[in-house]
DNA sequence: CCACAAATCCAAAGCGCTTTAAATTGTATG
DNA sequence: CATACAATTTAAAGCGCTTTGGATTTGTGG
């Protein structure tokens, strides 16, 4: 239990009953006050005089007193932690964007003075893990990302009133909070740009379409084609595969073999764009000249669209900012539990650069 | 405190004193046993008969009982959590490798049935945050990464006997546990390969040399040069800047302007290699033909060395595996506290591919 | 049949905090 | 000067678990 041999500075204090751990009891003994008063003084309750509060605060700082978070959580039911469940096999971190997303979360958490509990879980236990985490009392709210079309995790949490926010959207019988970007609008705009430039055979290298975001992008693509009266050709769409350089290379290579050849590509990520460019060049063509290319850009700081050669036209949306905002939403949700649901769709900007600038109509 | 309005399934149970939360007390009442016995049965203590244990286990599963982690931690002082402090400004997640590292950690944690607490912290509070986390009782051990040459975080934790493991190495008066890769050996080998191929002007695009790993790599590079009697030219080394595509492009572009021109580059990451390749081509040269290129590869799944064009020669070391192993070490350290320190240096393989294969001696 | 040990079980204290309900002090009023 | 009332403070219960020390039952050999 305790370990009195370990005499780290700050952790122990000499009181009337010997050397004891530095806790509320010791602090209040030291001050000649009750634990109640000290606790209230520290937590800003009004029923304590300003003079004692001053004194308590002072002593707490001097003695470097930190309330034990476990005890606090046990007593209050709050933890100041949010939770994320991490599937260990098809790991979210594999997607480089997840790191950026986390960075945004971290930024907001630091400002709100909260922390984050990450629970690595095999997919087989996932649902159970979400339920368990929700009732465990270890976190005040949960963040969910990468939803499928009808996401079971959302379905199972939405029934309870445990606070959570989804990054993305899903079909669900119950209302729930989410924050998403306008994937459909973004890819519709990208497609329109290409159509306006005269492209007729536009290829889409999409993410895994069991995910809502990929389905939405596909829908945007089709929508724009339809508006322009261009018939939709499923052969031009690649709707499975991971967001790797290799997959970008392979699918674009394959698509380039079609006749008539696609003259433009829309790809789902910057990493895919790397592979796409390699494929295009490998094919003896020049991106931005012979072939137009648009990528979705989540603003990875180490891979910037304007630094590509040619600079990449992108549908642009900071996933870090999304992480920041979704955490704010969750934080608000935690604080006014049951005050309705926040549903946000962030717009996505289309930034035109060199990769769609110089277009030669294909033969 | 409690919220009896919320009647989620699994969370409440009908006992002799009405509908109560599903906790140890309720479970033992339901079983007609004492809390002591039930607790012992569940935790595998020997002083409970096999028959009752069976009965208890059964009931626990049926009623979906989960011990409250906060209460457990408060009582035992253990949390089954490891901690990581995340600097929010120069964010670790910016480095794409950190995601991979985390993936390895997560894998190991899942196997050990542990979780991870991430504490986002501004650099200004960093040291305090480490100390606080160590004594807070929220985590059983801490993982530290990206050490500087004389890392204050390590220095301050090594004095206490709180379990932690460093990913990398640092100068420190006290003994501590670490797991590192042989950065020096790796870069020495890479340099030797180039020297053996006849290169004389070899350029190094390194990471920030306030970090130990970068300093070690630089040392390996110098060591190999010295062995081969090639004079070290500081002009050929770029030892600051982040691991971005842009920085790779800029520094290689600049270095290519030198006369005599460097004929080979060693760069610190795959992302840098992307920028390096772009710079080389931008300069009208062909990587692997006119200019040799070696990169350090942390095995990012979405950016594979053999998929580059030409395939990249690399110093190769799975950072995911490192994450896995370091977590194992920490876990062991937690379980036998004070049983000495584990110090591991993993070897790094040199994998020769196309980018150093076809070499034309420069004019 | 009894003493003794081993096996099982339990009541209660304790982990460090919050919070309820009650007690104490101070202050103004009739 | 007693009284009502607000301002401060406190004792004690409770959060849900573990664990100590003791109680009770069971089994065994003399």
């Amino acid at each position: 239990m305790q370990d009195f041999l370990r005499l780290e500075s700050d952790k122990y204090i000499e009181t009337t009953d010997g050397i004891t751990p530095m806790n509320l009891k010791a602090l209040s003994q030291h001050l000649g006050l009750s634990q109640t008063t000290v606790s209230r003084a520290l937590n800003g309750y009004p029923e304590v005089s300003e003079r004692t509060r001053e004194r308590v605060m002072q002593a707490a700082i001097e003695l470097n007193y930190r309330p034990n978070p476990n005890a606090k959580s046990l007593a209050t039911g709050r933890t100041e932690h949010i939770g994320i469940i991490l599937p260990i096999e098809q790991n979210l971190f594999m997607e480089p964007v997840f790191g950026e997303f986390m960075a945004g979360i971290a930024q907001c958490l630091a400002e709100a003075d909260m922390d984050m509990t990450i629970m690595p879980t095999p997919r087989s236990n996932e649902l159970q893990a979400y339920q368990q985490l929700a009732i465990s009392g270890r976190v005040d709210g949960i963040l969910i990302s990468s939803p499928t079309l009808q996401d079971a995790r959302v379905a199972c949490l939405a029934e309870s009133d445990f606070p959570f926010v989804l990054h993305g959207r899903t079909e669900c019988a119950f209302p729930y909070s989410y924050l998403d970007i306008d994937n459909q609008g973004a890819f519709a705009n990208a497609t329109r740009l290409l159509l306006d430039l005269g492209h007729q055979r536009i290829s889409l290298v999409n993410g895994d379409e069991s995910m809502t975001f990929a389905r939405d992008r596909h829908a945007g693509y089709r929508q724009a084609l339809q508006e322009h009266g261009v018939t939709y050709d499923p052969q031009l769409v690649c709707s499975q595969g991971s967001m790797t350089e290799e997959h970008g290379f392979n699918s674009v290579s394959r698509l380039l073999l079609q006749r008539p050849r696609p003259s433009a590509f829309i790809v789902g990520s910057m990493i895919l764009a790397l592979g796409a460019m390699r494929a295009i060049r490998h094919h003896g063509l020049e991106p931005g000249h012979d072939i137009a290319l648009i990528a979705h850009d989540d603003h990875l700081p180490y891979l910037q669209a304007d630094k590509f050669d040619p600079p990449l036209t992108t549908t642009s949306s900071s996933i870090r900012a999304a992480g920041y905002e979704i955490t704010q939403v969750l934080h608000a949700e935690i604080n006014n539990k049951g005050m309705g649901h926040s549903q946000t769709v962030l717009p996505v900007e289309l930034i035109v650069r060199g990769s769609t600038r110089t277009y030669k109509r294909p033969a």
Side-chain angles (χ1 to χ4, degrees), chain A residues 31 43 49 52 157-158 163 180 236 270 273 345 359:
Chain A
L31 282 161
N43 293 328
S49 76
T52 30
L157 280 189
D180 198 2
L236 287 174
M270 299 294 287
V345 178
Y359 173 61

Side-chain angles (χ1 to χ4, degrees), chain A residues 197-212:
Chain A
L197 286 172
H199 292 272
Q200 293 286 314
R201 289 190 66 74
I202 302 170
S203 203
L204 173 67
V205 180
N206 206 359
D208 177 358
E209 288 200 9
S210 63
M211 302 290 154
T212 318

Side-chain angles (χ1 to χ4, degrees), chain A residues 207-227:
Chain A
D208 177 358
E209 288 200 9
S210 63
M211 302 290 154
T212 318
F213 81 93
R215 186 73 64 107
D216 288 347
R217 291 172 178 185
H218 196 161
Y221 165 81
R222 283 190 80 154
Q223 178 193 338
L225 289 183
Q226 191 171 5
E227 285 168 12

Side-chain angles (χ1 to χ4, degrees), chain A residues 1 92 181 228 249 256 289 336 347 357 359:
Chain A
M1 303 279 316
L92 282 178
I181 62 173
H228 279 246
F249 178 80
L256 279 174
H289 193 253
N336 1 307
R357 202 152 283 158
Y359 173 61

Side-chain angles (χ1 to χ4, degrees), chain A residues 36-339:
Chain A
T36 309
T37 305
V38 175
S39 169
R40 283 189 172 140
L42 293 173
N43 293 328
Y45 281 70
E47 51 273 78
V48 55
S49 76
E50 219 35 64
R51 237 186 81 261
T52 30
R53 163 161 301 141
E54 207 58 44
R55 215 160 62 86
V56 171
M57 290 293 204
Q58 192 58 35
I61 291 172
E62 270 169 18
L63 301 179
N64 195 28
Y65 166 74
R66 309 276 173 193
N68 178 309
N70 287 317
K72 199 164 186 162
S73 300
L74 183 57
T76 60
R78 280 199 55 158
T79 61
E80 307 300 321
H81 277 226
I82 67 167
I84 291 179
I85 288 188
L86 200 64
I88 55 173
E89 43 273 312
Q90 174 208 336
N91 200 301
L92 282 178
F93 283 115
M94 270 188 52
E95 320 268 342
V97 296
F98 193 67
E100 270 295 290
F101 184 56
M102 291 276 288
I105 297 172
Q107 176 73 43
C108 180
L109 287 177
E111 289 169 15
D113 203 22
M114 297 182 74
D115 299 326
M116 158 168 51
T117 289
I118 291 190
M119 221 174 130
T121 309
R123 269 273 150 71
S124 52
N125 281 358
E126 200 173 31
L127 244 55
Q128 207 191 350
Y130 273 95
Q131 289 177 313
Q132 207 172 308
L133 183 59
I135 64 172
S136 72
R138 273 201 304 211
V139 298
D140 301 332
I142 295 181
L143 242 35
I144 308 185
S145 49
S146 300
T148 56
L149 293 176
Q150 296 174 332
D151 200 282
R153 305 168 298 170
V154 175
C156 100
L157 280 189
E159 286 188 76
S160 83
D161 66 345
F162 190 80
F164 78 95
V165 185
L166 177 66
H167 183 221
R169 275 170 282 182
T170 188
E171 274 179 41
C172 179
F174 299 85
Y176 65 93
S177 297
Y178 63 79
L179 183 136
D180 198 2
I181 62 173
D182 184 12
N183 281 301
Q184 175 161 357
F187 274 52
N189 282 337
T191 311
R192 283 186 201 112
L193 170 65
L194 293 170
L195 290 165
D196 289 343
L197 286 172
H199 292 272
Q200 293 286 314
R201 289 190 66 74
I202 302 170
S203 203
L204 173 67
V205 180
N206 206 359
D208 177 358
E209 288 200 9
S210 63
M211 302 290 154
T212 318
F213 81 93
R215 186 73 64 107
D216 288 347
R217 291 172 178 185
H218 196 161
Y221 165 81
R222 283 190 80 154
Q223 178 193 338
L225 289 183
Q226 191 171 5
E227 285 168 12
H228 279 246
V230 174
T231 46
Y232 168 76
D233 179 358
Q235 303 276 17
L236 287 174
V237 176
C238 176
S239 50
Q240 51 199 356
S242 51
M243 296 287 201
T244 64
E245 202 269 353
E246 182 182 12
H247 178 240
F249 178 80
N250 289 338
S251 31
V252 169
S253 294
R254 194 166 34 72
L255 288 160
L256 279 174
L257 297 178
Q258 293 206 7
R259 292 295 174 272
R261 197 169 66 201
S263 65
F265 287 85
I266 306 180
V267 303
S269 80
M270 299 294 287
I271 302 280
L272 285 178
L274 285 173
M277 280 206 167
R278 180 159 68 95
I280 293 168
R281 292 213 164 93
H282 202 256
H283 213 82
L285 300 165
E286 190 51 31
H289 193 253
D290 308 307
I291 303 279
L293 181 59
I294 302 182
H296 181 73
D297 179 11
D298 294 295
H299 295 191
L300 302 183
Y302 45 86
L303 205 58
Q304 298 171 346
D306 58 339
K307 303 302 174 351
F308 272 59
D309 189 13
L312 262 182
T313 294
T314 58
T315 55
S316 168
S317 168
S318 164
I319 195 164
R320 175 190 283 248
Y324 185 89
E325 279 201 44
I326 198 174
T327 309
Q328 279 191 319
V329 170
L330 180 57
H331 188 229
E333 212 104 323
I334 288 169
N335 288 329
N336 1 307
K337 224 163 163 175
M339 297 292 271

